[in-house]
Amino acid sequence: MARTVWDSTVGKKTVMAVSGLIMLLYLVVHMIGNLKIFFGAGEFNHYAHWLRTVGEPFMHYEWTLWAVRVVLVVAVVAHAVSAYQLSRRDIKARPTKYVHKKARASYATRTMRWGGVILALFIVWHLLDLTTGTVHSGGFEHGKPYQNVVDTFSTWYGNTIYIVAMLAVGLHVRHGFWSAAQTLGAGSRTRDRALKTTANALALLLTAGFVAVPVGVMTGVVS
């Protein structure tokens, strides 16, 4: 039955919607955590350490964090695979392009696929930069995330990559939240306006919240 659901277009869209909402929840929590950087190095580094000790002593050191990581990896893979397969299915169903493009298609809708590619590449760079330190500039320091973040956003390319990716996040969330609501049956004539407003507000909030960190470093508020 699971295979039948997965093979169907509705099933893939549902997987895409649920996995997208899981990632959206993570983004909101992650953004709130990032904003702790404005309270100083001690507060931010303590928060990063706390993430590794959540659930102790019942959970071993970093077990909760790794559980979250596993859920996120599954969500990202499920989202990407279902998006790719739906895209291929759409192309096969319509091998030739429409003569006239849909006039009402928003910029976020038209760039949804490219936005996904940009975000996938950004995730790889972000992990190599601030998690493993592989591509980090200025000397990566384990256990000192505040200093590492300041190092990254003290470079023009670190700011450029991050800000472009966060703009892509905003567009992706704006369209994705609306699409997920429709797929899961939450949309209706009475709720559509509220859902669109929520999608716009979430996109704006996340973009502004994430971009605030590099801007804070560039302006010297965070140093």
Side-chain angles (χ1 to χ4, degrees):
M1 183 177 178
R3 182 57 186 269
T4 301
V5 172
W6 170 249
D7 287 341
S8 68
T9 298
V10 173
K12 292 183 188 300
K13 286 185 176 182
T14 301
V15 169
M16 210 175 160
V18 173
S19 59
L21 291 176
I22 290 173
M23 290 186 287
L24 177 59
L25 176 62
Y26 168 77
L27 284 173
V28 172
V29 174
H30 189 43
M31 180 203 68
I32 294 172
N34 280 2
L35 293 177
K36 281 181 165 292
I37 200 167
F38 289 99
F39 295 94
E43 181 81 11
F44 192 72
N45 289 340
H46 176 68
Y47 164 69
H49 176 72
W50 172 80
L51 289 175
R52 288 160 174 75
T53 60
V54 173
E56 288 188 346
F58 178 74
M59 299 291 282
H60 191 63
Y61 182 76
E62 285 196 343
W63 277 14
T64 302
L65 182 61
W66 273 105
V68 173
R69 286 170 175 168
V70 169
V71 171
L72 282 173
V73 168
V74 172
V76 169
V77 172
H79 197 76
V81 171
S82 55
Y84 174 77
Q85 292 185 355
L86 283 168
S87 177
R88 298 302 303 172
R89 185 170 293 185
D90 184 51
I91 291 172
K92 287 181 180 179
R94 184 77 184 187
T96 57
K97 294 183 179 180
Y98 289 101
V99 176
H100 301 290
K101 293 183 179 180
K102 293 181 180 179
R104 294 186 178 180
S106 66
Y107 181 77
T109 303
R110 296 196 304 271
T111 59
M112 199 67 175
R113 292 170 186 170
W114 282 111
V117 173
I118 291 172
L119 292 177
L121 294 174
F122 168 74
I123 289 171
V124 174
W125 174 81
H126 195 51
L127 291 174
L128 292 176
D129 179 35
L130 293 175
T131 300
T132 66
T134 307
V135 298
H136 186 75
S137 62
F140 184 79
E141 298 182 73
H142 288 282
K144 295 184 178 180
Y146 182 94
Q147 289 79 354
N148 294 331
V149 169
V150 171
D151 285 344
T152 292
F153 296 133
S154 294
T155 62
W156 67 268
Y157 58 86
N159 289 317
T160 302
I161 292 173
Y162 193 85
I163 291 174
V164 168
M166 293 308 102
L167 292 175
V169 165
L171 290 173
H172 214 74
V173 168
R174 180 174 177 269
H175 178 70
F177 181 83
W178 166 254
S179 296
Q182 300 306 308
T183 297
L184 298 176
S188 69
R189 288 185 177 181
T190 57
R191 289 194 294 265
D192 279 355
R193 188 169 184 177
L195 288 170
K196 287 181 179 179
T197 301
T198 302
N200 291 333
L202 278 172
L204 181 60
L205 176 66
L206 287 170
T207 303
F210 280 117
V211 170
V213 177
V215 170
V217 175
M218 284 189 287
T219 57
V221 175
V222 176
S223 63

